[in-house]
Each structure stands twice: as C-alpha cells, then as structure tokens.
Amino acid sequence: MTITQTEPANIEELKTKANTKDNWKIRLEAVTELANYDCQKSRYILTKLVSNDRVFAVKEAAFNAAQAMGITKKGLPLELKRKDIRYSSKDFAKVFNRVKRDTQMAEFDLAVFKKQFQIVSPEMYDVMQYEEQENFDLWITSSYASLR
C-alpha cells in the first residue's frame, strides 16, 4: 500500500463517512481509504477515530493507519487503548425501557423492537451489532427478558 502525500478529491465524503455513527462498516471503509492519503485532514480524522470510536475494529484500523503515517498527539505516539464500548447495563436498560414504552408491544416482537431500537439509539445499536455479531438477536431477546 502506497501512502500519497495529497488530499483525496473526496475528502468531504470521507469525513462524512467517518462521522457516521450508525454504521461501523461505512466508518471502516472510510478509514481504509483515508489510510492511503497523508494530509492534514486525513490525519485529523484518523486521530479522532483512534481516540473516540466505540467499535474496536474501526479504532484499530485507524490506529494502524495513523502509525503508518507516524501521527502523534502532542508529540507522543498514539495509543490503542483496551476495548471499551463505554456503555453500562444501566444504559442498556434505559434504552430498552424506552423502546419497550415506545413500541407498546403486548408480546415481544424482535423485528419491531430492532427497528425502534435503531431509531432510539442508532449508535448503541451499531456498536452492539458489531460486538454481538451473530448473537445480536439473542442478546436483544435476553436483555429484553431481563427488564424489570
């Protein structure tokens, strides 16, 4: 992979993709493309993703791209901190109770719940969809069942 010392023609599109909070795959695509361009804007976007993204795959890809470019923060090399989604069980309970209240389901319907969950908290939905992968539906079902 060759890193070009120019700004990509579609930098605004890449910035928008990198700031998308409801789809980690789009952010990962943006990181992959930004890794090819060493300019001030791509350096800023990558640094921001290393520091703030909740999906570890995106954070790790941004970190690797930043390392390849030799990006530092305040003169120190960037650090890849341990995996932390920054959601507590109280956060999940709060969102799940809101979704439950909004949908007013007599019986639990996974499809309806997921649709409303994505509307109520798109970032949490995205993070947990990545974290749970194929167990996402099971996680939602069991979390819903444990609500008080």
Side-chain angles (χ1 to χ4, degrees):
M1 169 175 66
T2 309
I3 299 176
T4 310
Q5 299 291 324
T6 60
E7 186 175 290
N10 62 341
I11 189 69
E12 291 303 316
E13 177 188 338
L14 292 172
K15 182 179 174 183
T16 303
K17 284 181 173 183
N19 288 325
T20 299
K21 293 294 182 195
D22 61 354
N23 193 329
W24 64 272
K25 291 177 184 173
I26 290 175
R27 291 194 309 278
L28 192 58
E29 288 173 11
V31 168
T32 303
E33 195 165 339
L34 286 166
N36 298 319
Y37 298 95
D38 189 358
C39 67
Q40 184 179 0
K41 289 181 180 177
S42 64
R43 285 172 164 259
Y44 174 78
I45 294 167
L46 290 170
T47 303
K48 186 177 165 193
L49 289 171
V50 169
S51 302
N52 300 322
D53 206 279
R54 292 182 181 212
V55 174
F56 193 74
V58 175
K59 183 179 259 195
E60 185 176 37
F63 175 76
N64 291 335
Q67 267 196 322
M69 290 180 196
I71 298 174
T72 60
K73 191 172 184 179
K74 297 180 183 177
L76 299 171
L78 295 176
E79 291 181 14
L80 183 62
K81 301 212 167 137
R82 66 181 182 84
K83 190 174 178 177
D84 180 15
I85 60 172
R86 297 185 298 226
Y87 288 120
S88 69
S89 56
K90 286 182 182 180
D91 297 328
F92 296 125
K94 184 177 178 180
V95 170
F96 275 52
N97 278 317
R98 179 170 175 204
V99 172
K100 184 178 179 180
R101 186 176 59 248
D102 289 353
T103 56
Q104 297 179 350
M105 291 185 274
E107 287 188 31
F108 180 71
D109 182 342
L110 182 63
V112 172
F113 189 88
K114 283 172 67 172
K115 186 175 180 182
Q116 188 63 25
F117 181 19
Q118 200 165 16
I119 292 168
V120 169
S121 186
E123 186 176 13
M124 183 184 285
Y125 183 93
D126 180 54
V127 169
M128 294 313 296
Q129 190 175 32
Y130 168 76
E131 289 296 321
E132 296 296 330
Q133 303 272 330
E134 65 275 350
N135 296 326
F136 184 60
D137 291 350
L138 180 63
W139 173 77
I140 288 176
T141 306
S142 64
S143 296
Y144 184 87
S146 67
L147 288 179
R148 294 180 184 173

